[in-house]
Amino acid sequence: MIDPEAFLDLANQVTKLKMWPYFDIAHCVMCCLAVREDLGSGSIPFSRKHPIACWLSTMMVVFAGGFLASLFLGEPLLTPFRNTQAVLLATAVWYAMFYSPFDVVYKLSKFLPVKIVIAAMKEVYRCKKVYDGVNHAAKLFPNAWMILFITGLVKGNGAGFIKILERLIRGVWTPTAFEFLQPSFPTKACIVASIIFVLDKKTELISAPHALVYFGIVIFFVYFKLSSLLLGIHDPFIPFENLCCAVFFGGIWDSMQRAVGGGSKSADSTAKNETRATVSH
């Protein structure tokens, strides 16, 4: 049995984790991996031929949450770039991921044990960003729950929402890649986390200590990220989405309509066949 006090103390320690610089490095590495995987086999030629576009698209992915949060909250759009240390760190990681000798940094980051550690750190960082987004918005719009929710969401997975623009910088136009058309698991997870943080901050519905709520969301993020890497479970929300769509978004009524329509068509077809048979006789 886990001692409740020890567990609460662990949760408190997680909430106080400093993100700089190690978790920021993990975030930058995962963002660079995402850009390279999106470029596919052409990542190396593209980085050699278009280094500025490569750098700019990577910076947009790294600071996507900050850009979108600034846009929604009416702050200067380039606010994320005011932290020179963060920009320099992201640039150093980008350079190492694209231009290291023999591509050793990229290959090391793709090595599964290393990737597991980096991915887990990235998810801890994601949870912190969602929480910080909700807190920051609450200071500006304390009673606007929707703004708190949206800010937490885009801070947690801004890269998904900025993908169209980020690809456009690389000369690729994919309007169907809009995140709300085909939301990824990180977006769905950030929706859940943002809602929980808003309810925890603004209501009495969640009676658990804040540290336990925060730690629970961290475990949720890390567990399903590792499940994706190790077990291939990419989206555990799909069964619930199918059920929800069937119950609340017309699925049942559409099925009933098809069943009734099918029955009517079958009866009409039988009647026509009988009529033809009678005429032939």
Side-chain angles (χ1 to χ4, degrees):
M1 290 290 293
I2 299 177
D3 183 13
E5 292 186 2
F7 189 75
L8 182 59
D9 183 60
L10 175 61
N12 282 315
Q13 294 299 321
V14 171
T15 61
K16 297 174 183 177
L17 280 174
K18 301 297 183 184
M19 297 294 107
W20 179 267
Y22 303 111
F23 289 90
D24 285 88
I25 292 174
H27 168 67
C28 293
V29 169
M30 293 303 293
C31 289
C32 290
L33 280 175
V35 173
R36 284 202 57 161
E37 289 172 0
D38 197 39
L39 284 165
S41 59
S43 60
I44 295 300
F46 181 86
S47 66
R48 272 47 172 182
K49 191 175 181 180
H50 308 287
I52 296 177
C54 182
W55 176 83
L56 186 56
S57 65
T58 305
M59 292 304 105
M60 288 197 68
V61 174
V62 172
F63 298 103
F67 289 138
L68 291 176
S70 299
L71 178 66
F72 291 143
L73 297 176
E75 298 176 343
L77 189 59
L78 296 180
T79 297
F81 280 169
R82 69 183 176 184
N83 187 339
T84 305
Q85 281 187 317
V87 175
L88 291 176
L89 177 66
T91 301
V93 173
W94 162 79
Y95 187 85
M97 288 291 290
F98 281 92
Y99 301 102
S100 61
F102 308 106
D103 215 14
V104 64
V105 175
Y106 172 73
K107 292 175 181 176
L108 180 63
S109 64
K110 289 284 289 182
F111 183 52
L112 186 59
V114 175
K115 189 174 183 179
I116 288 173
V117 174
I118 296 173
M121 293 175 68
K122 159 71 176 180
E123 296 308 308
V124 176
Y125 185 88
R126 189 192 304 278
C127 182
K128 175 69 172 174
K129 286 300 180 181
V130 175
Y131 177 68
D132 287 349
V134 171
N135 267 356
H136 181 57
K139 295 175 184 177
L140 302 175
F141 304 97
N143 297 317
W145 290 22
M146 181 58 71
I147 296 177
L148 270 62
F149 161 71
I150 291 174
T151 307
L153 170 61
V154 298
K155 286 282 283 186
N157 191 38
F161 295 98
I162 213 168
K163 185 180 295 182
I164 296 175
L165 184 57
E166 178 261 326
R167 285 178 174 174
L168 186 60
I169 291 174
R170 294 190 270 113
V172 180
W173 173 240
T174 53
T176 56
F178 186 57
E179 186 68 10
F180 278 124
L181 291 177
Q182 294 180 330
S184 60
F185 172 72
T187 294
K188 299 173 187 177
C190 287
I191 288 174
V192 173
S194 190
I195 290 173
I196 291 175
F197 280 138
V198 171
L199 293 177
D200 182 46
K201 189 172 186 65
K202 291 296 180 180
T203 71
E204 300 298 327
L205 295 176
I206 300 177
S207 59
H210 165 70
L212 288 180
V213 175
Y214 185 96
F215 189 42
I217 294 175
V218 168
I219 293 174
F220 169 72
F221 278 158
V222 172
Y223 174 79
F224 282 109
K225 183 61 179 181
L226 297 186
S227 296
S228 174
L229 290 175
L230 299 175
L231 305 176
I233 303 174
H234 297 293
D235 194 345
F237 284 111
I238 288 179
F240 302 100
E241 290 174 11
N242 293 337
L243 178 62
C244 183
C245 289
V247 175
F248 298 108
F249 296 104
I252 292 177
W253 309 118
D254 292 343
S255 298
M256 291 178 63
Q257 184 177 1
R258 284 194 295 269
V260 172
S264 300
K265 290 179 181 179
S266 177
D268 292 343
S269 177
T270 303
K272 288 179 180 179
N273 291 334
E274 290 176 353
T275 302
R276 290 172 182 169
T278 302
V279 171
S280 62
H281 287 298

